[in-house]
């Protein structure tokens, strides 16, 4: 007979979308770490979930067209790692450009800034890199605000084009723009000037 916590963990995973990534910490309200790890290990052995890296699993999505399971969703895996260690993260460099639809190129190394330590993980043919940054770069800012700041910084002061500003303006909602204008006020002066051009239009 399956334990009650096992049934509840299975139900939560079943109700989550394909590609959802998670660790034992995501079920802390259901059971302790040890029983949850045992439950996840059993589900991994049965093929219900897939072990991505040590302590991180996902619910793989199946492609009928290809007749195989899709590769892990790197963005969701990065978020699961951050939740596990209680890090605040946001995309940086090319990853930020990709997240904000400024680039269609999928990076081989998915780069994030974090208030945690430097870490690098191998996930299939990709790498996920967490780079430690000063708290002032992350503290008090939402994911979208940090991503926009990082994208602008990566493009560079003398290289950002009107086309980039227009594309960013188009992908951000009115609510996003209001949030970014408020939260980014403490960032570098030239970056905030660009942010005002993006948000006030």
């Amino acid at each position: 007979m399956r334990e009650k916590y096992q049934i509840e963990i299975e139900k939560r995973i079943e109700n989550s979308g394909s590609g959802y990534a998670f660790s034992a910490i995501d079920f802390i309200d259901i059971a302790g770490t040890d029983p949850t790890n045992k439950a996840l290990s059993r589900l991994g052995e049965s093929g219900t979930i897939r072990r991505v890296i040590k302590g991180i699993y996902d619910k793989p999505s199946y492609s009928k067209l290809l007749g195989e399971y899709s590769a892990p969703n790197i963005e969701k895996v990065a978020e699961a790692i951050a939740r596990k260690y209680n890090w605040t993260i946001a995309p940086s460099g090319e990853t930020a450009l990709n997240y904000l639809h400024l680039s269609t190129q999928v990076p081989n190394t998915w780069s994030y800034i974090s208030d945690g330590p430097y870490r690098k993980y191998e996930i299939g043919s990709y790498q996920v890199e967490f780079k430690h940054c000063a708290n002032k770069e992350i503290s008090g800012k939402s994911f979208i605000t940090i991503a926009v700041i990082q994208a602008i910084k990566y493009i560079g002061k003398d290289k950002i084009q009107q086309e980039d500003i227009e594309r960013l303006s188009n992908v951000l909602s009115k609510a996003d723009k209001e949030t970014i204008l408020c939260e980014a006020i403490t960032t570098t002066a030239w970056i905030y000037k660009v942010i005002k051009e993006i948000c006030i239009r």
Side-chain angles (χ1 to χ4, degrees):
M1 184 178 172
R2 289 181 304 160
E3 298 280 357
K4 186 186 174 192
Y5 70 82
Q6 176 90 31
I7 295 166
E8 287 187 28
I9 288 169
E10 286 178 20
K11 193 181 291 183
R12 183 171 295 177
I13 292 167
E14 193 179 316
N15 291 337
S16 65
S18 292
Y20 172 63
F22 47 88
S23 71
I25 202 74
D26 293 308
F27 306 94
I28 200 72
D29 58 317
I30 295 175
T33 306
D34 285 346
T36 299
N37 277 328
K38 285 174 186 169
L40 295 178
S41 183
R42 282 193 288 267
L43 289 170
E45 286 167 13
S46 71
T48 305
I49 61 174
R50 171 174 57 188
R51 182 181 180 272
V52 180
I53 54 172
K54 186 180 178 182
I56 302 289
Y57 298 85
D58 77 345
K59 181 184 175 184
S61 53
Y62 187 77
S63 168
K64 288 182 181 177
L65 184 66
L66 299 173
E68 61 184 34
Y69 285 103
S70 304
N73 182 314
I74 304 297
E75 198 175 315
K76 290 182 179 177
V77 170
E79 289 167 3
I81 294 169
R83 290 196 305 275
K84 181 180 180 182
Y85 296 112
N86 196 28
W87 299 339
T88 299
I89 66 165
S92 66
E94 282 186 21
T95 308
L97 299 188
N98 186 271
Y99 175 76
L100 293 164
H101 309 291
L102 290 177
S103 168
T104 54
Q105 195 171 346
V106 178
N108 285 325
T109 298
W110 290 66
S111 185
Y112 293 84
I113 58 168
S114 158
D115 58 0
Y118 178 85
R119 288 282 187 275
K120 190 177 257 188
Y121 299 89
E122 300 281 342
I123 300 170
S125 58
Y126 298 106
Q127 288 185 331
V128 179
E129 176 185 54
F130 296 96
K131 297 181 291 186
H132 179 76
C133 70
N135 274 348
K136 65 178 183 180
E137 287 191 57
I138 279 186
S139 183
K141 296 179 180 71
S142 59
F143 190 90
I144 189 68
T145 298
I146 304 166
V148 168
I149 291 171
Q150 289 297 312
I152 295 168
K153 186 186 288 188
Y154 183 71
I155 294 168
K157 185 176 182 179
D158 301 319
K159 292 183 179 176
I160 194 153
Q161 304 291 317
Q162 195 59 38
E163 181 188 350
D164 299 320
I165 290 168
E166 285 171 9
R167 285 171 73 185
L168 267 171
S169 184
N170 290 335
V171 299
L172 297 171
S173 69
K174 186 182 176 185
D176 284 339
K177 290 175 182 177
E178 287 172 0
T179 299
I180 294 163
L181 268 176
C182 181
E183 293 179 347
I185 200 161
T186 56
T187 196
T188 312
W190 78 264
I191 293 177
Y192 194 66
K193 185 182 175 186
V194 174
I195 282 172
K196 284 200 286 188
E197 284 188 62
I198 291 163
C199 297
I200 306 171
R201 46 191 309 129

